[in-house]
Protein backbone atom coordinates (compact mmCIF):
# COMPACT_ATOMS: atom_id res chain seq x y z
CA UNK A 1 0.00 0.00 0.00
CA UNK A 2 2.83 2.38 0.89
CA UNK A 3 4.67 1.74 -2.39
CA UNK A 4 1.48 2.28 -4.40
CA UNK A 5 1.02 5.68 -2.79
CA UNK A 6 4.60 6.63 -3.59
CA UNK A 7 4.02 5.54 -7.18
CA UNK A 8 0.93 7.74 -7.55
CA UNK A 9 2.70 10.70 -5.96
CA UNK A 10 5.53 10.30 -8.45
CA UNK A 11 3.03 10.31 -11.31
CA UNK A 12 1.56 13.53 -9.98
CA UNK A 13 5.00 15.14 -9.79
CA UNK A 14 5.76 14.12 -13.39
CA UNK A 15 2.44 15.54 -14.56
CA UNK A 16 3.19 18.80 -12.78
CA UNK A 17 6.37 19.17 -14.89
CA UNK A 18 4.35 19.29 -18.10
CA UNK A 19 3.86 22.95 -19.09
CA UNK A 20 0.41 24.22 -19.98
CA UNK A 21 -0.45 27.11 -22.31
CA UNK A 22 -0.72 30.45 -20.57
CA UNK A 23 -3.44 32.55 -22.11
CA UNK A 24 -4.27 35.97 -20.74
CA UNK A 25 -4.64 39.54 -21.83
CA UNK A 26 -1.29 40.77 -23.08
CA UNK A 27 -0.35 44.39 -22.23
CA UNK A 28 2.11 46.72 -23.95
CA UNK A 29 4.81 45.25 -21.74
CA UNK A 30 4.89 42.47 -19.17
CA UNK A 31 7.53 41.52 -16.61
CA UNK A 32 7.76 39.20 -13.64
CA UNK A 33 9.99 40.23 -10.77
CA UNK A 34 10.85 39.47 -7.17
CA UNK A 35 10.96 42.71 -5.21
CA UNK A 36 12.15 42.45 -1.60
CA UNK A 37 11.04 38.84 -1.48
CA UNK A 38 7.63 39.48 -3.02
CA UNK A 39 6.82 37.91 -6.38
CA UNK A 40 5.09 40.37 -8.70
CA UNK A 41 3.68 40.56 -12.23
CA UNK A 42 3.77 44.08 -13.69
CA UNK A 43 1.75 44.96 -16.79
CA UNK A 44 1.70 48.35 -18.51
CA UNK A 45 -0.94 49.74 -20.86
CA UNK A 46 -1.05 52.99 -22.82
CA UNK A 47 -4.63 54.21 -23.18
CA UNK A 48 -6.23 57.34 -24.61
CA UNK A 49 -7.61 60.01 -22.31
CA UNK A 50 -11.06 59.04 -21.06
CA UNK A 51 -10.51 55.26 -21.10
CA UNK A 52 -11.58 53.38 -17.96
CA UNK A 53 -8.57 51.82 -16.18
CA UNK A 54 -10.89 49.53 -14.21
CA UNK A 55 -11.22 47.37 -17.31
CA UNK A 56 -7.51 46.50 -17.03
CA UNK A 57 -7.93 44.55 -13.80
CA UNK A 58 -7.81 40.80 -14.33
CA UNK A 59 -9.15 37.96 -12.25
CA UNK A 60 -6.50 35.99 -10.32
CA UNK A 61 -4.34 33.96 -12.71
CA UNK A 62 -1.68 31.26 -12.38
CA UNK A 63 1.75 31.37 -13.96
CA UNK A 64 4.81 29.17 -13.37
CA UNK A 65 3.81 28.03 -9.90
CA UNK A 66 2.40 31.33 -8.61
CA UNK A 67 -1.13 32.63 -8.29
CA UNK A 68 -1.22 36.37 -9.04
CA UNK A 69 -3.85 38.72 -7.58
CA UNK A 70 -4.38 42.41 -8.42
CA UNK A 71 -2.71 44.70 -5.87
CA UNK A 72 -2.80 48.25 -7.24
CA UNK A 73 -2.77 50.39 -10.41
CA UNK A 74 -0.73 53.54 -11.00
CA UNK A 75 -0.99 56.01 -13.84
CA UNK A 76 1.36 58.40 -15.62
CA UNK A 77 -0.01 61.15 -17.83
CA UNK A 78 1.83 62.11 -21.00
CA UNK A 79 1.22 65.86 -21.52
CA UNK A 80 2.02 67.70 -24.70
CA UNK A 81 2.40 71.32 -25.77
CA UNK A 82 2.61 72.41 -29.37
CA UNK A 83 2.66 75.76 -31.17
CA UNK A 84 2.41 76.92 -34.77
CA UNK A 85 2.21 80.14 -36.78
CA UNK A 86 -1.30 80.98 -37.97
CA UNK A 87 -2.61 83.41 -40.60
CA UNK A 88 -6.31 84.28 -40.82
CA UNK A 89 -7.90 86.51 -43.48
CA UNK A 90 -10.69 88.92 -42.52
CA UNK A 91 -13.01 90.79 -44.93
CA UNK A 92 -14.96 94.01 -44.17
CA UNK A 93 -17.19 96.28 -46.29
CA UNK A 94 -17.18 100.10 -46.22
CA UNK A 95 -19.00 102.83 -48.14
CA UNK A 96 -15.82 104.82 -48.71
CA UNK A 97 -12.32 104.03 -49.77
CA UNK A 98 -10.98 105.92 -46.79
CA UNK A 99 -8.25 104.33 -44.62
CA UNK A 100 -9.59 105.88 -41.43
CA UNK A 101 -13.03 104.43 -42.17
CA UNK A 102 -11.51 101.03 -43.02
CA UNK A 103 -9.35 100.87 -39.88
CA UNK A 104 -12.42 101.64 -37.79
CA UNK A 105 -13.86 98.33 -39.05
CA UNK A 106 -10.67 96.28 -38.45
CA UNK A 107 -9.87 95.37 -34.84
CA UNK A 108 -6.17 95.55 -33.83
CA UNK A 109 -6.30 91.90 -32.63
CA UNK A 110 -8.71 88.98 -32.86
CA UNK A 111 -8.96 85.76 -30.79
CA UNK A 112 -8.25 82.36 -32.39
CA UNK A 113 -9.75 79.04 -31.27
CA UNK A 114 -10.25 76.02 -33.55
CA UNK A 115 -11.02 73.60 -30.73
CA UNK A 116 -7.39 72.46 -30.49
CA UNK A 117 -5.20 75.55 -30.84
CA UNK A 118 -5.86 78.91 -29.15
CA UNK A 119 -4.18 82.31 -29.17
CA UNK A 120 -4.43 85.91 -30.34
CA UNK A 121 -3.71 87.22 -33.85
CA UNK A 122 -2.61 90.79 -34.66
CA UNK A 123 -3.52 92.86 -37.72
CA UNK A 124 -0.77 93.08 -40.35
CA UNK A 125 -1.30 96.56 -41.86
CA UNK A 126 0.87 95.74 -44.88
CA UNK A 127 -1.69 93.21 -46.09
CA UNK A 128 -4.66 95.61 -46.30
CA UNK A 129 -6.13 95.71 -49.82
CA UNK A 130 -9.33 97.48 -50.90
CA UNK A 131 -11.40 96.95 -54.04
CA UNK A 132 -14.77 98.17 -55.26
CA UNK A 133 -17.58 95.86 -54.35
CA UNK A 134 -19.41 96.74 -57.60
CA UNK A 135 -20.29 99.59 -59.92
CA UNK A 136 -23.43 101.52 -60.95
CA UNK A 137 -24.09 104.21 -63.61
CA UNK A 138 -24.65 107.83 -62.56
CA UNK A 139 -25.83 110.83 -64.60
CA UNK A 140 -25.02 114.59 -64.46
CA UNK A 141 -25.69 117.80 -66.46
CA UNK A 142 -22.71 119.40 -68.17
CA UNK A 143 -22.95 123.16 -68.96
CA UNK A 144 -20.77 125.61 -70.85
CA UNK A 145 -21.18 129.41 -71.22
CA UNK A 146 -19.71 131.35 -74.15
CA UNK A 147 -19.65 135.11 -74.80
CA UNK A 148 -19.95 135.94 -78.50
CA UNK A 149 -19.36 139.52 -79.73
CA UNK A 150 -19.20 142.25 -80.42
CA UNK A 151 -21.88 141.79 -83.05
CA UNK A 152 -23.47 144.42 -85.24
CA UNK A 153 -26.91 143.06 -84.55
CA UNK A 154 -28.67 140.55 -82.35
CA UNK A 155 -28.98 137.89 -84.99
CA UNK A 156 -29.21 134.18 -83.97
CA UNK A 157 -27.32 133.21 -87.06
CA UNK A 158 -24.22 134.40 -85.27
CA UNK A 159 -24.77 131.82 -82.46
CA UNK A 160 -23.51 128.17 -82.99
CA UNK A 161 -26.10 125.53 -82.22
CA UNK A 162 -23.60 123.27 -80.41
CA UNK A 163 -20.24 123.35 -78.66
CA UNK A 164 -17.81 120.70 -77.36
CA UNK A 165 -16.57 120.43 -73.76
CA UNK A 166 -14.18 117.69 -72.61
CA UNK A 167 -15.09 115.68 -75.68
CA UNK A 168 -18.82 115.99 -74.95
CA UNK A 169 -21.08 117.78 -77.48
CA UNK A 170 -23.44 120.26 -75.79
CA UNK A 171 -26.53 121.83 -77.30
CA UNK A 172 -27.55 125.49 -77.15
CA UNK A 173 -29.89 126.01 -74.26
CA UNK A 174 -30.24 129.82 -73.92
CA UNK A 175 -28.95 133.10 -75.35
CA UNK A 176 -28.85 136.42 -73.54
CA UNK A 177 -28.24 139.52 -75.68
CA UNK A 178 -26.33 142.42 -74.21
CA UNK A 179 -25.93 145.95 -75.79
CA UNK A 180 -22.35 147.03 -75.99
CA UNK A 181 -22.77 150.44 -77.75
CA UNK A 182 -25.34 152.92 -79.13
CA UNK A 183 -25.51 155.55 -81.89
CA UNK A 184 -27.63 158.80 -82.10
CA UNK A 185 -29.96 158.63 -84.96
CA UNK A 186 -31.86 161.92 -85.11
CA UNK A 187 -32.97 162.51 -81.59
CA UNK A 188 -32.93 158.78 -80.69
CA UNK A 189 -30.20 156.53 -79.34
CA UNK A 190 -30.20 153.14 -80.99
CA UNK A 191 -28.00 150.04 -80.28
CA UNK A 192 -25.02 149.91 -82.54
CA UNK A 193 -23.23 146.72 -81.22
CA UNK A 194 -24.24 143.60 -79.28
CA UNK A 195 -22.73 140.58 -77.54
CA UNK A 196 -24.44 137.27 -76.90
CA UNK A 197 -24.06 135.16 -73.76
CA UNK A 198 -24.84 131.64 -74.98
CA UNK A 199 -25.46 128.78 -72.54
CA UNK A 200 -24.96 125.17 -73.68
CA UNK A 201 -25.92 122.02 -71.79
CA UNK A 202 -25.93 118.24 -72.12
CA UNK A 203 -26.33 114.95 -70.14
CA UNK A 204 -23.25 112.93 -69.07
CA UNK A 205 -23.05 109.39 -67.62
CA UNK A 206 -20.34 108.01 -65.37
CA UNK A 207 -19.53 104.81 -63.44
CA UNK A 208 -19.43 104.90 -59.63
CA UNK A 209 -18.60 102.26 -56.99
CA UNK A 210 -21.49 100.85 -54.95
CA UNK A 211 -19.17 100.17 -51.99
CA UNK A 212 -15.73 98.84 -51.10
CA UNK A 213 -14.46 95.46 -49.87
CA UNK A 214 -11.26 95.34 -47.80
CA UNK A 215 -9.27 92.17 -46.97
CA UNK A 216 -6.56 92.02 -44.33
CA UNK A 217 -4.49 89.29 -42.67
CA UNK A 218 -4.13 88.67 -38.95
CA UNK A 219 -0.98 86.81 -37.88
CA UNK A 220 0.34 85.25 -34.68
CA UNK A 221 1.46 82.13 -32.83
CA UNK A 222 -1.19 79.78 -31.41
CA UNK A 223 -0.63 76.95 -28.92
CA UNK A 224 -2.18 73.61 -28.04
CA UNK A 225 -1.65 71.68 -24.79
CA UNK A 226 -3.21 68.83 -22.87
CA UNK A 227 -2.76 65.13 -22.10
CA UNK A 228 -2.05 62.97 -25.15
CA UNK A 229 -2.24 59.55 -23.44
CA UNK A 230 -1.97 57.82 -20.05
CA UNK A 231 0.23 54.87 -19.13
CA UNK A 232 -1.30 52.59 -16.51
CA UNK A 233 0.90 50.18 -14.55
CA UNK A 234 -1.10 47.28 -13.14
CA UNK A 235 0.68 45.32 -10.39
CA UNK A 236 -0.25 41.80 -9.27
CA UNK A 237 1.32 40.05 -6.27
CA UNK A 238 2.05 36.34 -6.51
CA UNK A 239 1.65 33.61 -3.91
CA UNK A 240 3.31 30.21 -4.29
CA UNK A 241 0.80 27.51 -5.22
CA UNK A 242 1.06 24.54 -2.85
CA UNK A 243 0.00 21.17 -4.35
CA UNK A 244 -2.91 19.57 -2.54
CA UNK A 245 -2.24 16.11 -1.05
CA UNK A 246 -4.03 13.24 -2.76
CA UNK A 247 -5.38 10.36 -0.72
CA UNK A 248 -5.18 7.06 -2.54
CA UNK A 249 -7.46 4.21 -1.47
CA UNK A 250 -6.64 0.67 -2.33
CA UNK A 251 -9.33 -0.94 -4.49
CA UNK A 252 -11.04 -4.04 -3.18
CA UNK A 253 -9.92 -7.35 -4.56
CA UNK A 254 -6.34 -6.13 -5.27
CA UNK A 255 -4.25 -9.19 -6.28
CA UNK A 256 -2.28 -10.68 -3.44
CA UNK A 257 0.82 -10.72 -5.61
CA UNK A 258 1.03 -6.92 -5.52
CA UNK A 259 0.13 -6.45 -1.87
CA UNK A 260 2.79 -8.47 -0.16
CA UNK A 261 5.99 -10.39 -0.56
CA UNK A 262 9.16 -9.31 -2.34
CA UNK A 263 7.65 -8.77 -5.81
CA UNK A 264 5.90 -5.48 -5.03
CA UNK A 265 8.98 -3.57 -3.85
CA UNK A 266 11.00 -4.71 -6.86
CA UNK A 267 8.29 -3.83 -9.41
CA UNK A 268 7.54 -0.59 -7.64
CA UNK A 269 11.19 0.41 -7.62
CA UNK A 270 11.61 -0.36 -11.31
CA UNK A 271 8.43 1.54 -12.20
CA UNK A 272 9.47 4.45 -9.97
CA UNK A 273 12.88 4.69 -11.67
CA UNK A 274 11.27 4.52 -15.12
CA UNK A 275 8.76 7.23 -14.29
CA UNK A 276 11.42 9.39 -12.69
CA UNK A 277 13.57 9.03 -15.80
CA UNK A 278 10.59 9.86 -17.99
CA UNK A 279 9.82 12.86 -15.83
CA UNK A 280 13.39 14.15 -16.05
CA UNK A 281 13.37 13.63 -19.83
CA UNK A 282 10.08 15.49 -20.18
CA UNK A 283 11.39 18.27 -17.97
CA UNK A 284 14.59 18.60 -20.00
CA UNK A 285 12.73 18.43 -23.33
CA UNK A 286 9.77 20.62 -22.36
CA UNK A 287 8.77 23.42 -24.72
CA UNK A 288 10.33 26.71 -23.72
CA UNK A 289 9.31 29.08 -26.57
CA UNK A 290 5.60 29.86 -27.20
CA UNK A 291 4.21 31.67 -30.24
CA UNK A 292 0.95 33.66 -30.07
CA UNK A 293 -1.25 35.64 -32.47
CA UNK A 294 -3.86 38.30 -31.53
CA UNK A 295 -7.26 36.91 -30.52
CA UNK A 296 -10.74 38.26 -31.17
CA UNK A 297 -10.74 40.69 -28.23
CA UNK A 298 -8.37 43.61 -27.51
CA UNK A 299 -5.21 42.49 -25.69
CA UNK A 300 -6.20 38.79 -26.01
CA UNK A 301 -3.66 36.44 -27.59
CA UNK A 302 -4.05 32.86 -28.86
CA UNK A 303 -1.32 30.21 -28.61
CA UNK A 304 -0.51 28.67 -32.04
CA UNK A 305 2.83 26.86 -31.57
CA UNK A 306 5.40 25.64 -29.03
CA UNK A 307 9.09 25.01 -29.63
CA UNK A 308 12.01 23.47 -27.76
CA UNK A 309 15.06 25.73 -28.13
CA UNK A 310 18.59 25.17 -26.85
CA UNK A 311 20.71 28.08 -25.65
CA UNK A 312 23.42 27.36 -28.24
CA UNK A 313 20.93 27.60 -31.13
CA UNK A 314 18.47 30.43 -30.28
CA UNK A 315 16.10 30.18 -33.25
CA UNK A 316 12.63 28.91 -34.26
CA UNK A 317 11.07 28.29 -37.69
CA UNK A 318 7.46 29.39 -38.33
CA UNK A 319 7.44 28.34 -41.99
CA UNK A 320 5.52 25.13 -41.33
CA UNK A 321 3.14 26.39 -38.65
CA UNK A 322 -0.53 25.74 -39.43
CA UNK A 323 -2.41 27.95 -39.65
CA UNK A 324 0.38 30.26 -40.80
CA UNK A 325 0.08 33.69 -39.07
CA UNK A 326 -1.01 36.62 -41.24
CA UNK A 327 0.41 39.67 -39.49
CA UNK A 328 1.26 40.26 -35.80
CA UNK A 329 3.23 37.53 -34.02
CA UNK A 330 4.21 37.45 -30.33
CA UNK A 331 7.15 35.27 -29.23
CA UNK A 332 7.47 34.35 -25.53
CA UNK A 333 10.81 32.94 -24.36
CA UNK A 334 10.26 31.18 -21.01
CA UNK A 335 12.15 32.33 -17.94
CA UNK A 336 14.82 29.61 -17.74
CA UNK A 337 15.82 30.08 -21.38
CA UNK A 338 15.53 33.89 -21.14
CA UNK A 339 18.13 33.88 -18.34
CA UNK A 340 20.61 32.13 -20.63
CA UNK A 341 19.84 34.30 -23.67
CA UNK A 342 19.61 37.74 -22.01
CA UNK A 343 21.45 40.23 -24.23
CA UNK A 344 21.78 37.72 -27.08
CA UNK A 345 20.04 37.65 -30.46
CA UNK A 346 17.05 35.39 -31.14
CA UNK A 347 16.05 34.45 -34.71
CA UNK A 348 12.49 33.82 -35.96
CA UNK A 349 12.57 32.20 -39.38
CA UNK A 350 9.44 32.61 -41.51
CA UNK A 351 8.35 32.33 -45.12
CA UNK A 352 9.57 35.84 -45.95
CA UNK A 353 13.02 35.62 -44.32
CA UNK A 354 14.50 35.99 -40.83
CA UNK A 355 13.44 38.31 -37.99
CA UNK A 356 16.25 38.90 -35.49
CA UNK A 357 15.86 40.65 -32.12
CA UNK A 358 17.63 40.82 -28.75
CA UNK A 359 16.31 38.99 -25.66
CA UNK A 360 15.94 41.61 -22.90
CA UNK A 361 14.64 39.76 -19.83
CA UNK A 362 16.95 37.87 -17.50
CA UNK A 363 14.63 37.28 -14.53
CA UNK A 364 11.26 36.65 -16.21
CA UNK A 365 9.77 35.41 -19.47
CA UNK A 366 10.78 37.59 -22.44
CA UNK A 367 7.99 38.89 -24.69
CA UNK A 368 8.55 40.26 -28.23
CA UNK A 369 6.03 41.28 -30.94
CA UNK A 370 6.56 42.11 -34.60
CA UNK A 371 4.53 42.45 -37.82
CA UNK A 372 5.14 39.38 -39.95
CA UNK A 373 3.38 40.80 -43.03
CA UNK A 374 5.77 43.79 -43.15
CA UNK A 375 8.72 41.40 -43.56
CA UNK A 376 7.25 39.10 -46.19
CA UNK A 377 9.10 39.09 -49.52
CA UNK A 378 7.04 40.69 -52.36
CA UNK A 379 5.34 38.28 -54.76
Amino acid sequence: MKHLRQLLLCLLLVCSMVSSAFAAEVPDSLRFENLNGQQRAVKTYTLPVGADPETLKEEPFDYEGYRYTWAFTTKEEHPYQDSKDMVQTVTVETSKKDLSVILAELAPTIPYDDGEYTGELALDHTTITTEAAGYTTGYSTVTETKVIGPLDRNDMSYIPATTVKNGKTLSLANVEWQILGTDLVGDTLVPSSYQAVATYSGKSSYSTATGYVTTAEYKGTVTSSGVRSITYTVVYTGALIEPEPIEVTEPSGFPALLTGGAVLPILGGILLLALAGLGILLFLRRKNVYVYVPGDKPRDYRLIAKFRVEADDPAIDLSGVEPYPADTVAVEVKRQLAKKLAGKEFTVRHQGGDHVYTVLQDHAADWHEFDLSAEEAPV
Side-chain angles (χ1 to χ4, degrees):
M1 180 68 179
K2 178 180 179 182
H3 293 290
L4 182 60
R5 289 175 179 169
Q6 290 177 345
L7 179 60
L8 291 174
L9 285 174
C10 184
L11 286 172
L12 288 173
L13 289 174
V14 172
C15 292
S16 68
M17 295 179 185
V18 180
S19 299
S20 62
F22 176 71
E25 291 187 353
V26 178
D28 297 339
S29 65
L30 165 65
R31 72 176 187 274
F32 293 88
E33 62 184 16
N34 191 288
L35 183 63
N36 299 326
Q38 184 184 62
Q39 188 68 21
R40 307 199 316 173
V42 181
K43 302 185 177 185
T44 58
Y45 305 81
T46 300
L47 301 181
V49 177
D52 185 6
E54 292 296 318
T55 60
L56 303 178
K57 293 183 182 179
E58 299 179 24
E59 296 296 326
F61 60 91
D62 299 342
Y63 184 69
E64 292 192 347
Y66 287 88
R67 173 158 295 172
Y68 292 90
T69 305
W70 176 83
F72 59 88
T73 300
T74 64
K75 74 173 184 177
E76 179 186 1
E77 295 183 346
H78 301 290
Y80 70 93
Q81 184 165 356
D82 190 22
S83 63
K84 64 179 180 179
D85 294 331
M86 178 59 58
V87 177
Q88 185 166 320
T89 302
V90 172
T91 301
V92 296
E93 294 187 5
T94 57
S95 60
K96 297 180 180 181
K97 192 177 181 180
D98 187 320
L99 184 59
S100 61
V101 175
I102 294 171
L103 289 177
E105 298 294 327
L106 293 171
T109 60
I110 59 173
Y112 180 87
D113 187 352
D114 64 359
E116 181 180 2
Y117 287 84
T118 59
E120 191 171 69
L121 307 180
L123 174 64
D124 183 353
H125 291 79
T126 64
T127 64
I128 296 175
T129 59
T130 303
E131 296 179 352
Y135 291 91
T136 187
T137 301
Y139 297 92
S140 64
T141 300
V142 179
T143 61
E144 176 75 351
T145 300
K146 287 189 174 185
V147 178
I148 304 171
L151 302 174
D152 60 351
R153 62 182 182 277
N154 55 350
D155 189 344
M156 289 296 296
S157 63
Y158 291 125
I159 310 303
T162 62
T163 190
V164 176
K165 183 179 181 179
N166 297 330
K168 179 70 176 177
T169 300
L170 307 181
S171 300
L172 181 63
N174 185 50
V175 176
E176 179 183 347
W177 291 97
Q178 297 176 348
I179 298 173
L180 295 180
T182 59
D183 288 333
L184 183 62
V185 177
D187 295 331
T188 305
L189 289 173
V190 295
S192 60
S193 65
Y194 297 84
Q195 73 175 9
V197 179
T199 302
Y200 297 85
S201 68
K203 295 291 185 181
S204 177
S205 63
Y206 57 92
S207 182
T208 184
T210 58
Y212 296 91
V213 176
T214 297
T215 60
E217 292 181 352
Y218 286 79
K219 300 178 180 179
T221 300
V222 294
T223 60
S224 175
S225 61
V227 176
R228 192 179 305 278
S229 61
I230 302 176
T231 294
Y232 292 94
T233 301
V234 186
V235 179
Y236 301 82
T237 55
L240 192 63
I241 300 175
E242 299 292 343
E244 296 182 1
I246 299 179
E247 182 179 352
V248 180
T249 59
E250 182 178 317
S252 61
F254 201 79
L257 180 62
L258 298 179
T259 59
V263 177
L264 182 59
I266 295 174
L267 292 178
I270 294 174
L271 183 58
L272 182 59
L273 289 175
L275 290 173
L278 176 61
I280 294 173
L281 180 62
L282 288 174
F283 180 78
L284 294 177
R285 298 301 300 172
R286 74 191 188 281
K287 309 295 186 182
N288 54 7
V289 177
Y290 289 5
V291 180
Y292 302 86
V293 295
D296 297 330
K297 297 179 179 180
R299 299 187 298 278
D300 276 348
Y301 279 68
R302 178 168 52 87
L303 180 68
I304 63 168
K306 300 179 183 179
F307 295 89
R308 172 67 191 179
V309 175
E310 301 299 335
D312 57 356
D313 185 19
I316 60 174
D317 191 347
L318 300 181
S319 300
V321 172
E322 292 293 340
Y324 185 71
D327 39 51
T328 301
V329 172
V331 178
E332 181 186 25
V333 177
K334 293 298 184 178
R335 181 171 57 181
Q336 294 299 325
L337 181 59
K339 286 183 178 180
K340 299 177 182 179
L341 297 181
K344 298 181 180 180
E345 291 185 344
F346 192 91
T347 302
V348 180
R349 299 187 178 96
H350 53 86
Q351 295 178 3
D354 292 349
H355 177 83
V356 181
Y357 69 96
T358 301
V359 176
L360 301 178
Q361 294 289 351
D362 60 358
H363 58 277
D366 184 81
W367 186 277
H368 176 76
E369 293 186 27
F370 68 98
D371 189 352
L372 189 62
S373 63
E375 302 186 6
E376 293 288 357
V379 178

